[in-house]
Amino acid sequence: MRSSSVKKMQMSLIAAVVASLVACGGGGAATPVAAVGGTPTPTPTPTPTPTPTPTPTPTPTPSNVISANPGNYLTLLAALKPGDTLLLAPGNYGVDSNGNDTGSPPGLPLFGINGTATAPITITGPESGPRPVLLGRSTHNTVRIDGSSYVVVRNIDINNRGLGAPGVASQGVSHHITLENLYIHGVGDSQQTVGIAANSAPTWNWTIRNNQIIGAGTGMYLGNSDGNAPFVAGLIEHNLIRDTIGYSMQIKHQTVWSSVPAGMPTGTTTTVVRHNVFSKLSSFVSADGARPNLLVGDQPPSGPGSGNGFEIYGNFFWQNPTEALFQGEGNIAFHHNLMVNASGPAVVIQRHYGSVRNVRIFANTIVARDNGISVTGGQSGTTQRVAGNAVFAANPVSISGADAAQIDNVTGSQAAAATYLNNPGAALGQLDLYPRVGQLQAPALNTSGLSAYADWNRDFNGTGDSWTTRGAYAGTGTNPGWQPQLAIKP
């Protein structure tokens, strides 16, 4: 799982970029930068695109709900059929009444468990009240998945007890897996221990939703370090990942797919990362080195999957004492995120193991000590655009490349954020990144080409964006929506 540390920008390049920004006003008062080729024509206020609604897990009928307890659940699990729901009773699983490990395999072995698109198999705890607790061991991944599909795992606590195994791990090809409302902890004995891992084989159409991963070595590790276990067409939403040693989440780069399992999509797909909270406020640097909160790697350089990409929006990134909040390469749309890093940079787009391709960074609100948005290394024939952001940092926006441009951003120093935002320097609970009355207002942004992205015209709160306010919010004054905090975003 090891990967090289994020490469630092050369000091000479930083100095040159800073000098260039100061000359054009990018490092001082708010100054919009003209589009390449001329001033963009403002577009009419768009009609908000409806937020895609995830397909709900079918509510089981009484005839296919199977009640289970720590003594019989493994036997019942192996016999599940499409449409079945295994309802786990509250209690500790994997130990006897004296708290000693049982002789049976621990956790959930999901081997060859296959539902269908219309009749998934669900393994769940109660919807409310006490939960089943899967207790981990050093000998097994607690929830282990291989050769399974259309399976939902939800409403369960996973406690690995600091014994060195992942909370959830794909051990072979799997697809259409939903992990929902899990509480994963006890996975922080080293950076190499992962809350949710999918790094052993190709996986696709995973949904990871409404989970809490607390104090892990790495929160989520999707794909493998050699690029040969692609994670494809995922949906990662409304999770809280905090206090990890390494990455809150990493989606690994991909090499050319040497083989394609049956059913794996070969056309263009998108992995969506939205409405999550990524915090490394209480993290420390391990012997493996510093890591960003979120890192995404490139797609295959050619062949199936080479046109895939990421859409990353509506997330709250909070603090990283040693690294950037976000690092990425490949095809990326990054919009309507809130980012605060009092100790370092916010957004770094640069080559890691692959290439920087078509990148759109728009409508984000960023407060950072060092670089706000840095973009370098764009591949020939691709474009990178940084537009409509509100960025307050020592070096707000620095870009380079044959076809890279910044357009109509509002920029200033980290201290200047207080002029434009309600309470940007406060601790959580008082933090308020909503614009002050009348601030960050500008002519409507030219949004040509942005409508291809999901929720492109909805702000951080989900409100329709008229594009006359720079940053992640569509209004000014009092924030009518969710106040950023270390909790699952509604």
Side-chain angles (χ1 to χ4, degrees):
M1 193 194 81
R2 300 178 190 273
S3 62
S4 61
S5 299
V6 178
K7 297 179 180 179
K8 301 299 182 182
M9 301 293 292
Q10 296 294 323
M11 292 305 296
S12 60
L13 176 59
I14 292 175
V17 173
V18 170
S20 174
L21 283 170
V22 170
C24 70
T31 305
V33 181
V36 175
T39 302
T41 302
T43 55
T45 301
T47 301
T49 304
T51 302
T53 302
T55 303
T57 304
T59 301
T61 60
S63 61
N64 64 346
V65 174
I66 302 163
S67 295
N69 59 55
N72 65 6
Y73 81 105
L74 289 172
T75 300
L76 297 172
L77 177 67
L80 294 177
K81 303 182 301 296
D84 285 348
T85 291
L86 188 67
L87 179 59
L88 301 178
N92 291 328
Y93 286 66
V95 295
D96 60 24
S97 58
N98 295 318
N100 299 313
D101 290 348
T102 66
S104 301
L108 283 178
L110 302 178
F111 300 148
I113 306 294
N114 293 283
T116 68
T118 57
I121 291 172
T122 300
I123 299 102
T124 182
E127 294 297 323
S128 61
R131 289 179 158 207
V133 180
L134 303 181
L135 295 172
R137 297 181 196 169
S138 62
T139 55
H140 294 74
N141 301 323
T142 304
V143 177
R144 44 203 183 275
I145 307 168
D146 188 357
S148 297
S149 62
Y150 297 103
V151 175
V152 178
V153 180
R154 68 183 186 190
N155 300 337
I156 295 172
D157 286 5
I158 298 172
N159 180 1
N160 277 34
R161 301 187 285 180
L163 298 177
V168 179
S170 174
Q171 298 181 184
V173 174
S174 61
H175 60 92
H176 292 90
I177 303 296
T178 297
L179 306 174
E180 186 172 34
N181 201 21
L182 306 177
Y183 173 45
I184 301 174
H185 56 114
V187 287
D189 54 286
S190 81
Q191 184 175 312
Q192 307 300 314
T193 305
V194 183
I196 297 174
N199 61 340
S200 297
T203 52
W204 63 95
N205 290 109
W206 276 40
T207 297
I208 303 175
R209 175 190 298 136
N210 287 349
N211 303 291
Q212 296 186 60
I213 303 176
I214 310 299
T218 294
M220 297 186 198
Y221 192 78
L222 309 175
N224 200 21
S225 58
D226 62 6
N228 287 324
F231 180 85
V232 178
L235 173 61
I236 299 116
E237 63 178 1
H238 297 284
N239 300 285
L240 168 64
I241 308 173
R242 58 176 293 182
D243 304 333
T244 56
I245 300 172
Y247 302 101
S248 300
M249 185 172 91
Q250 183 181 25
I251 303 178
K252 293 298 297 184
H253 73 286
Q254 300 172 21
T255 57
V256 172
W257 296 354
S258 58
S259 62
V260 180
M264 183 168 162
T266 56
T268 300
T269 64
T270 300
T271 289
V272 175
V273 180
R274 64 184 181 188
H275 306 308
N276 302 283
V277 175
F278 301 108
S279 172
K280 292 194 65 178
L281 176 63
S282 300
S283 300
F284 62 91
V285 180
S286 75
D288 296 310
R291 298 291 188 269
N293 298 40
L294 172 63
L295 187 147
V296 299
D298 195 11
Q299 310 303 322
S302 61
S306 59
N308 294 350
F310 299 98
E311 296 185 15
I312 302 167
Y313 63 91
N315 302 285
F316 174 43
F317 294 81
W318 176 248
Q319 308 294 358
N320 188 320
T322 57
E323 258 296 353
L325 298 173
F326 170 66
Q327 181 183 336
E329 63 179 359
N331 297 311
I332 299 172
F334 188 89
H335 64 94
H336 293 103
N337 299 286
L338 299 179
M339 312 184 81
V340 178
N341 193 3
S343 302
V347 176
V348 176
I349 304 297
Q350 64 182 34
R351 293 190 62 189
H352 191 50
Y353 290 109
S355 299
V356 173
R357 305 206 230 175
N358 294 307
V359 176
R360 298 293 180 268
I361 301 173
F362 60 96
N364 301 283
T365 297
I366 297 172
V367 181
R369 187 191 69 181
D370 299 334
N371 288 333
I373 299 173
S374 172
V375 180
T376 62
Q379 185 181 58
S380 177
T382 65
T383 61
Q384 298 80 44
R385 298 289 182 267
V386 177
N389 302 282
V391 187
F392 305 100
N395 186 12
V397 179
S398 62
I399 59 175
S400 64
D403 201 348
Q406 55 171 310
I407 305 163
D408 287 338
N409 300 288
V410 171
T411 63
S413 67
Q414 181 183 9
T419 300
Y420 297 93
L421 310 176
N422 284 333
N423 198 359
L428 290 175
Q430 304 299 319
L431 179 74
D432 189 348
L433 301 177
Y434 208 73
R436 290 180 177 273
V437 174
Q439 297 294 339
L440 300 182
Q441 301 292 283
L445 185 72
N446 183 348
T447 58
S448 299
L450 300 184
S451 61
Y453 303 118
D455 293 339
W456 68 282
N457 55 358
R458 289 186 177 273
D459 77 351
F460 182 84
N461 287 334
T463 302
D465 197 333
S466 65
W467 300 106
T468 57
T469 305
R470 299 297 179 254
Y473 289 112
T476 68
T478 301
N479 183 3
W482 183 73
Q483 204 71 23
Q485 57 190 288
L486 298 188
I488 289 178
K489 182 183 176 185

